[in-house]
Amino acid sequence: PDPLRLALADLIAEINDPATNKKRERSVTKGKPYEKRFVLRAQVNADLDGLNEAVRELLADENPGVRFSAGEFLVKRGDMESAEPIEAMMLDMTDPVYVALLMDQLGILNGKDSDWEKKLLAYVQDEEVEVRNSALTQLGRDYGAKHLDLLTENLKHADWSTRLASIEGLATLRDKRTIGPIIEQMQSEVGRMKVECANVLFDLTGQLL
C-alpha cells in the first residue's frame, strides 16, 4: 500500500545512511511513478552532488504525483532555484488539492518575504479558482490581520468556494473584528455556506447563531 511504502521511505530518509543513499543515486529519475516517489522521499536528506539538479528534471514529469513529490523534495532541501519552476507547475495544474499543496510549498520556500506576499495578492485576482482560493487561505494563515480587509471583501465574492476560503482565512485570525462581517454575510448564505459561517462564529464567540 502506498502509505506503507512512503512510511518506509521516510524511515530510510531518517536513517540517512551514506552507502544506501549512494546505491539509489541513479534511480531518482527512473522507474514507475510509485518508484520515483519512493526514492524522492528516501533521498531527501542525502548529501550527493547534483541531486537537486536531477530532481528538478522531475518537475516536468508526466505524472502529477511525481511532479508534486519532486517539488516537495526540493522545498525540504531549501532549493531556491526550484521556486520559479514549482510556481509554473502550480499554475499549470487543475487539481485544487495539488494547487493548494504547491502554494504551501512555495510559502515555505519563499518565507514571508514581501515579494512572495505581493505574488499572493496578485493571485487573489486570478481567474483560476484553485489559485485564487489557495492564495486567500495562505494570506489569512501566514500574514495575520494585515489582510483582514481583503479577506472581508472576498466574503461577497460571486464564487461560493472563494467565499469559503475567505471565511476559513478569517477564522485563522481569531480577530473579533471579523464577527460583524461574517454575521452580515451569513444572512445571504444557504446550505453549507450558512453552516460554515455559523461554525466560525461559534468558534469566535462561543454562542450558537
Side-chain angles (χ1 to χ4, degrees):
D2 198 52
L4 176 58
R5 184 185 303 115
L6 295 179
L8 290 170
D10 289 340
L11 288 173
I12 293 172
E14 186 176 347
I15 294 170
N16 196 25
D17 175 62
T20 305
N21 292 342
K22 188 68 176 176
K23 287 181 180 179
R24 293 191 306 271
E25 183 175 10
R26 296 185 179 180
S27 61
V28 173
T29 59
K30 298 179 180 179
K32 297 179 180 179
Y34 74 87
E35 293 172 318
K36 292 177 183 176
R37 292 172 59 234
F38 177 87
V39 177
L40 284 166
R41 291 284 280 261
Q43 294 284 76
V44 72
N45 297 319
D47 183 16
L48 296 169
D49 291 337
L51 183 56
N52 286 5
E53 290 83 348
V55 172
R56 280 189 218 122
E57 295 179 11
L58 293 178
L59 293 175
D61 194 273
E62 61 182 16
N63 183 278
V66 172
R67 297 202 301 272
F68 171 76
S69 295
E72 186 176 45
F73 174 97
L74 293 163
V75 168
K76 286 181 178 178
R77 290 169 69 89
D79 183 53
M80 290 304 299
E81 290 186 40
S82 67
E84 188 173 331
I86 289 175
E87 190 172 355
M89 178 174 63
M90 177 194 75
L91 294 173
D92 191 48
M93 285 193 166
T94 56
D95 187 320
V97 174
Y98 278 129
V99 171
L101 290 172
L102 286 168
M103 190 164 286
D104 281 345
Q105 287 186 356
L106 287 165
I108 294 169
L109 192 59
N110 290 303
K112 297 179 182 179
D113 64 22
S114 58
D115 288 341
W116 177 239
E117 184 179 9
K118 288 176 183 175
K119 286 190 174 184
L120 287 173
L121 290 169
Y123 284 142
V124 169
Q125 308 301 324
D126 202 279
E127 293 182 0
E128 294 295 332
V129 64
E130 294 85 3
V131 174
R132 181 174 68 237
N133 293 352
S134 297
L136 275 170
T137 299
Q138 192 168 136
L139 284 168
R141 185 191 65 216
D142 295 345
Y143 292 88
K146 185 176 181 180
H147 299 295
L148 187 149
D149 290 344
L150 177 65
L151 290 164
T152 301
E153 176 186 331
N154 278 278
L155 280 176
K156 299 184 181 298
H157 198 280
D159 186 280
W160 73 268
S161 65
T162 300
R163 298 200 302 275
L164 177 59
S166 299
I167 290 171
E168 291 174 343
L170 289 170
T172 65
L173 301 182
R174 301 198 62 80
D175 189 314
K176 290 188 176 181
R177 289 176 294 172
T178 66
I179 295 174
I182 294 176
I183 289 176
E184 180 182 350
Q185 184 59 31
M186 185 178 177
Q187 311 310 312
S188 304
E189 299 290 358
V190 295
R192 177 188 175 183
M193 287 299 299
K194 198 175 190 74
V195 172
E196 293 290 346
C197 288
N199 288 340
V200 171
L201 289 169
F202 178 73
D203 189 45
L204 289 171
T205 66
Q207 298 180 25
L208 291 172
L209 296 174

